[in-house]
Amino acid sequence: MIIYQEDLGTFVQHCKNGNIENEISQRMGFHGIFNGNKSMRNSWTNSLPQMAHILEKANLNKQLDVAIEYRIATSCKQVDFMIYGDNVDNKPQIIIIELKQWSEVKDSVKENFVYTNPHHNEWADCWHPSIQAFNYANIIRNFNEYVQKHDVGIKACSYLHNLENLYDITIKNIDKFPLIEIVPTFLKNDIDLMRHFVQNNIQKPNKQLLYSVDNSKIKPSKQLQTMLSSALKGNGYDTLDDDQAYAIASIVQHATSNINSERRATIIIRGGPGTGKSVVAINALGRIISKYGLNACYVTKNSAPRVLFRKELISSNDRSLMNLFKSPVAFTRSGEMSYDCLIVDEAHRIVKMSNYPIYVEDSLNDIFKASRVNVFFIDEEQQVTTKDYCTIDLIKKYALKWNSKVIDEDSLKLSSQFRCLGGVEYISMIRTFLGYEKSLSKFQSPNFQFKVYDSISKMKSDLKILDDKFSKVRIVSGFTHDWASRKNPDVNDFVMEDGAFKAKWNLGNKGADYSWVGDASSFNEIGCIHTCQGIDLNYCGVIIGKDMIYRDGKIVFCPAAMSSDDKSSGIKNCGSESLAAKLIRNTYQVLLTRGMRGCFVYCEDSALNTYLKTFIA
C-alpha cells in the first residue's frame, strides 16, 4: 500500500516547510491506518529531513520518486524510505533505506542483533538495521509477481544519522554481519558514501514503477520455492504415514485444481493430539509452494508453533520465509481471493476479537474471504478458552456463505499417533483418566515413560537428567498459580514442598521471536497452555493444579482454583460449570500429550495423584 509518494523535489520541500509529519499522518489516516505513535512521529521529524538534505545535494534528477512508510502487501510491514527509478542500463530499480535514530550501540549476544537504546529510555536487543532492510527487500522480491517478471532490482541499506563513526567497529563488523557487504550501513559521517550509493543505482525517473509493484499479484518466486523446499528437508517434517500422505495429497489436489477459476473449496481435517496435524500442514505448504508456485500460508493463532517453525525451518539471515507463517488476524484487510490456499492449523483456537489494534471482529470470515482454498485442521476437544469459537459446524456455515465446496471425509481424519511413542494406548489412557472415554486396560509401554510423582522436586531432578541428554524437556502446568513474578522478578510463582521447589512462569516479555522450547534456560521455568499448545517436547513434566481434584470416586473440576492472572482463558469467571469443566479437561489433555518420549506428572491434589497411579500397569 502506497502511503506517501512524491517526487524528490516535493519531498524536499515538505521537509523544508516542516510539515512532513502532517503530510504522512494525514495520508495514513486517509487509508484508515493508525497514523503513528510518538516514536514513529519522532522518526519522521528527525530522520526524514536528514534524508532530504542528503538527496537534495546529490547529483540526482529531482523527478525521481520517493515513498515513505510503504506497506508491504504480504506482511503489513512498513518500509521507512524508498527511492526508485531506472538505473544506467534502463532497468527498474528500487532502493530500500531503513532509518534509525540510534546514538549508541553495543555488541549483542544474539545473532544478527545489536544492543542499543532505541527510544532513549530502555536498552534492548534490536535487529541490525541493514539485515532488517535486506529482509524487507527479500519479502518484496520473493512475493511480488511484477518484480519477478520485470526483473526489478531491489537494493537495500540502512542510515543511522545520529550514530558517530566511532561505532563502526560494532555496527559494521563484517565478521559478525557479513550481509553489510551487500547491504551497507551508513553512519553520521557517511553522507558522501550514502549519496554515491543512491547515485550509482538510480539515474532516471520511472513514474509507474511503484504503482506496478503495488498492484501486482502476490506470487512466491522460484528462489523462494527452492528455499522453502530445502528448508523443509532434514527437519523431520517429511516423515509421513498413510493418513498423512493422503491428507497432503488431497490438500495439494484441491489447491492446484482449477487454479484460475473462481471456485472455492474448504477442506476439514480432524485429528487429536499428536496425530500429525502440523506435520501435514507444513508438508502441504511446502509442496504447494515449491512444486506449484502457489500463494499459500500457514496460519495458526498459537504463536509458539509459528516461532518454532520459523526457527527450525528458516535461516537466520533470510527472514522472508517468515512471511509464510501468519496469525488469523493477518487477513483483516486482505482482498477477496488474495491467496490461493490458507492452511489453518489449530483451527479450534480461532477467536473473535473486537479490541485488536486493527479492528478484528471475525477472523474466520476474513480467512474465507481472503483465500480460494482453505484447509482447517481441527480438534474441538482442544478448545481451551471461552473465546475459542471455531467449530466444524461453524466452518461449514461459513463455507455455505462463501459458496465453498466442503470436503469432509472419514479418510481425512488423522488417527495414527505421530507424536507420542506410547501410541494410541497412551492417548486412550489419558482420555479415560480425564473422562472423555472408558477403557479397562492399564497403560504400559517399553517406548514411552509415564510416571506419577509424589515429589515435584524429584520429578524436576529426573527431567533435568533427560534434558541434558535429549534437550526439549520442559515442565508445564495448569494456570492455578498467580503470576507474581510479572510485577516482581525477585519472587517465585511456584513455591512448593516447604520451599524445596521454587519456579517462575515463563511468560515474561521476551520478544515476538522468542522460542520457549529453543531456550535452554527455560527448563527452570514453568510453561502453560498458552506457551506449549501446538508444539512437541521430548519429555514433558505436567503439574496438575487444584483446578482438578479427586473426590468421592470421581474427578471434580474447580474453576475457582484458577489464578486471577489467567486473563486469556476466561475459565475462572465464565459462569458455567459445564463450560469450565470442558475447558479445564481440554487444557490437561493438551498438556499431558506434549511429550514424545515420556510424560511425568505431579498432582497437587494427593487424592488425584493416587487415582492417576491406578492407570499404570
Side-chain angles (χ1 to χ4, degrees):
M1 181 186 295
I2 299 173
I3 306 297
Y4 175 102
Q5 181 274 328
E6 294 287 356
D7 62 52
L8 178 57
T10 303
F11 161 67
V12 170
Q13 198 59 48
H14 282 160
C15 289
K16 285 185 174 181
N17 293 342
N19 64 345
I20 186 66
E21 176 188 337
N22 291 334
E23 286 285 344
I24 300 171
S25 180
Q26 289 173 8
R27 299 183 195 201
M28 291 180 78
F30 175 78
H31 288 286
I33 300 173
F34 174 64
N35 57 359
N37 54 29
K38 183 178 180 181
S39 175
M40 185 181 290
R41 288 173 175 270
N42 284 340
S43 70
W44 299 337
T45 302
N46 298 324
S47 299
L48 293 176
Q50 298 283 345
M51 283 303 307
H53 173 70
I54 287 177
L55 297 177
E56 182 185 25
K57 301 297 182 182
N59 183 24
L60 293 170
N61 188 317
K62 297 302 183 286
Q63 291 302 308
L64 291 173
D65 288 283
V66 303
I68 300 168
E69 300 293 348
Y70 176 73
R71 176 165 288 195
I72 302 173
T74 55
S75 70
C76 289
K77 298 291 185 182
Q78 291 176 202
V79 178
D80 287 345
F81 193 90
M82 300 168 71
I83 183 167
Y84 59 93
D86 290 340
N87 63 18
V88 68
D89 297 320
N90 294 317
K91 291 186 176 180
Q93 183 78 57
I94 297 172
I95 297 178
I96 289 175
I97 303 174
E98 180 66 20
L99 302 173
K100 299 294 184 187
Q101 302 178 71
W102 303 347
S103 56
E104 295 179 85
V105 292
K106 299 177 182 178
D107 285 326
S108 170
V109 295
K110 295 183 178 180
E111 187 179 9
N112 296 324
F113 281 72
V114 292
Y115 194 59
T116 187
N117 186 2
H119 305 304
H120 308 290
N121 56 6
E122 184 177 350
W123 283 78
D125 290 304
C126 295
W127 206 5
H128 191 291
S130 282
I131 298 177
Q132 185 177 352
F134 170 79
N135 279 276
Y136 288 161
N138 262 358
I139 290 173
I140 297 173
R141 187 182 295 118
N142 287 329
F143 286 90
N144 192 284
E145 186 178 51
Y146 183 87
V147 169
Q148 297 158 25
K149 281 188 174 181
H150 294 83
D151 195 23
V152 177
I154 305 179
K155 298 280 187 178
C157 67
S158 61
Y159 179 39
L160 291 71
H161 55 85
N162 287 334
L163 196 63
E164 299 286 352
N165 282 63
L166 61 91
Y167 290 99
D168 275 4
I169 193 171
T170 300
I171 200 78
K172 294 186 181 182
N173 186 335
I174 293 179
D175 291 334
K176 193 171 183 180
F177 309 113
L179 267 176
I180 64 174
E181 289 194 288
I182 58 173
V183 187
T185 300
F186 301 110
L187 307 187
K188 184 174 182 178
N189 296 323
D190 293 335
I191 292 176
D192 288 338
L193 293 174
M194 178 82 166
R195 286 176 180 149
H196 288 311
F197 180 78
V198 177
Q199 290 168 183
N200 290 340
N201 285 287
I202 298 178
Q203 278 80 35
K204 307 170 187 176
N206 183 336
K207 295 294 183 181
Q208 292 302 312
L209 177 56
L210 189 60
Y211 293 101
S212 299
V213 170
D214 194 57
N215 289 313
S216 174
K217 291 181 179 178
I218 301 171
K219 180 182 175 72
S221 69
K222 292 292 184 183
Q223 180 189 8
L224 180 75
Q225 296 166 36
T226 302
M227 287 163 56
L228 183 59
S229 179
S230 299
L232 292 174
K233 294 178 180 178
N235 289 282
Y237 296 104
D238 55 356
T239 304
L240 308 170
D241 70 5
D242 292 347
D243 288 346
Q244 295 161 346
Y246 180 82
I248 292 169
S250 298
I251 294 168
V252 173
Q253 172 196 343
H254 290 288
T256 57
S257 62
N258 303 312
I259 291 174
N260 297 317
S261 75
E262 294 296 308
R263 299 180 194 173
R264 296 179 184 265
T266 297
I267 304 171
I268 298 173
I269 298 181
R270 310 171 195 232
T275 52
K277 295 187 296 295
S278 297
V279 173
V280 173
I282 294 297
N283 270 278
L285 177 72
R287 296 187 189 195
I288 288 170
I289 293 178
S290 62
K291 188 172 181 179
Y292 298 97
L294 300 187
N295 181 28
C297 287
Y298 172 93
V299 183
T300 181
K301 175 185 179 293
N302 301 333
S303 62
R306 290 201 308 270
V307 172
L308 187 63
F309 288 147
R310 289 168 180 171
K311 287 186 175 292
E312 291 191 352
L313 301 179
I314 301 169
S315 71
S316 58
N317 277 340
D318 193 324
R319 297 195 175 189
S320 60
L321 281 174
M322 291 175 69
N323 214 40
L324 299 175
F325 300 89
K326 296 180 181 290
S327 163
V329 300
F331 307 98
T332 304
R333 296 182 180 275
S334 296
E336 192 164 338
M337 288 200 193
S338 299
Y339 293 84
D340 295 311
C341 182
L342 293 180
I343 298 174
V344 186
D345 202 0
E346 308 281 352
H348 42 270
R349 293 300 322 279
I350 294 178
V351 301
K352 278 192 173 183
M353 300 182 351
S354 58
N355 58 348
Y356 200 70
I358 300 175
Y359 187 82
V360 178
E361 182 177 2
D362 191 345
S363 50
L364 181 59
N365 187 70
D366 295 335
I367 287 169
F368 269 96
K369 176 184 176 183
S371 179
R372 186 173 58 84
V373 175
N374 291 300
V375 185
F376 295 97
F377 293 81
I378 188 165
D379 177 12
E380 293 177 13
E381 291 178 353
Q382 290 193 58
Q383 291 181 330
V384 296
T385 81
T386 56
K387 294 180 181 178
D388 297 349
Y389 83 114
C390 184
T391 63
I392 292 172
D393 287 343
L394 188 62
I395 289 172
K396 291 180 177 180
K397 177 182 176 181
Y398 278 82
L400 181 63
K401 171 185 175 181
W402 288 98
N403 194 26
S404 181
K405 177 185 176 182
V406 175
I407 298 96
D408 180 19
E409 308 166 352
D410 288 340
S411 55
L412 290 174
K413 183 176 181 179
L414 304 177
S415 56
S416 299
Q417 184 46 230
F418 191 74
R419 174 191 298 125
C420 172
L421 296 179
V424 294
E425 292 83 6
Y426 174 72
I427 301 300
S428 178
M429 183 271 286
I430 291 298
R431 290 178 61 80
T432 300
F433 165 64
L434 293 173
Y436 290 102
E437 59 186 51
K438 292 183 179 180
S439 174
L440 298 177
S441 61
K442 295 189 177 185
F443 175 73
Q444 62 178 354
S445 170
N447 302 312
F448 186 87
Q449 294 186 62
F450 180 71
K451 297 181 180 181
V452 181
Y453 284 78
D454 294 323
S455 166
I456 188 173
S457 299
K458 173 61 175 169
M459 184 178 84
K460 180 181 179 182
S461 176
D462 287 355
L463 287 168
K464 183 66 174 72
I465 295 171
L466 293 167
D467 187 51
D468 292 340
K469 181 178 180 180
F470 295 104
S471 76
K472 289 189 178 179
V473 177
R474 298 291 182 269
I475 301 175
V476 298
S477 174
F479 214 141
T480 56
H481 289 253
D482 290 341
W483 187 6
S485 63
R486 183 180 191 180
K487 296 180 179 178
N488 183 359
D490 294 328
V491 303
N492 290 290
D493 305 310
F494 293 75
V495 180
M496 304 164 75
E497 296 181 348
D498 297 325
F501 178 88
K502 297 179 181 180
K504 295 183 176 71
W505 286 113
N506 77 297
L507 296 175
N509 183 14
K510 300 178 182 178
D513 288 342
Y514 175 75
S515 172
W516 174 65
V517 177
D519 179 5
S521 67
S522 68
F523 173 83
N524 293 310
E525 300 172 333
I526 309 297
C528 71
I529 185 66
H530 311 303
T531 308
C532 68
Q533 190 168 23
I535 63 174
D536 300 336
L537 299 169
N538 278 317
Y539 287 85
C540 184
V542 180
I543 302 170
I544 298 181
K546 293 290 183 69
D547 53 344
M548 193 166 84
I549 62 176
Y550 190 72
R551 297 290 184 271
D552 300 323
K554 63 180 181 180
I555 286 179
V556 179
F557 298 98
C558 309
M562 300 284 292
S563 169
S564 298
D565 290 327
D566 178 20
K567 308 296 184 185
S568 299
S569 74
I571 295 173
K572 186 178 181 71
N573 299 310
C574 72
S576 167
E577 289 186 10
S578 60
L579 177 59
K582 169 189 170 183
L583 297 177
I584 293 172
R585 177 188 285 117
N586 288 355
T587 296
Y588 282 114
Q589 180 186 213
V590 172
L591 298 182
L592 291 164
T593 55
R594 294 304 93 194
M596 294 184 287
R597 297 172 180 266
C599 179
F600 297 173
V601 183
Y602 172 81
C603 304
E604 293 191 51
D605 178 60
S606 59
L608 185 67
N609 223 45
T610 301
Y611 174 61
L612 180 53
K613 289 178 182 179
T614 66
F615 287 83
I616 304 174

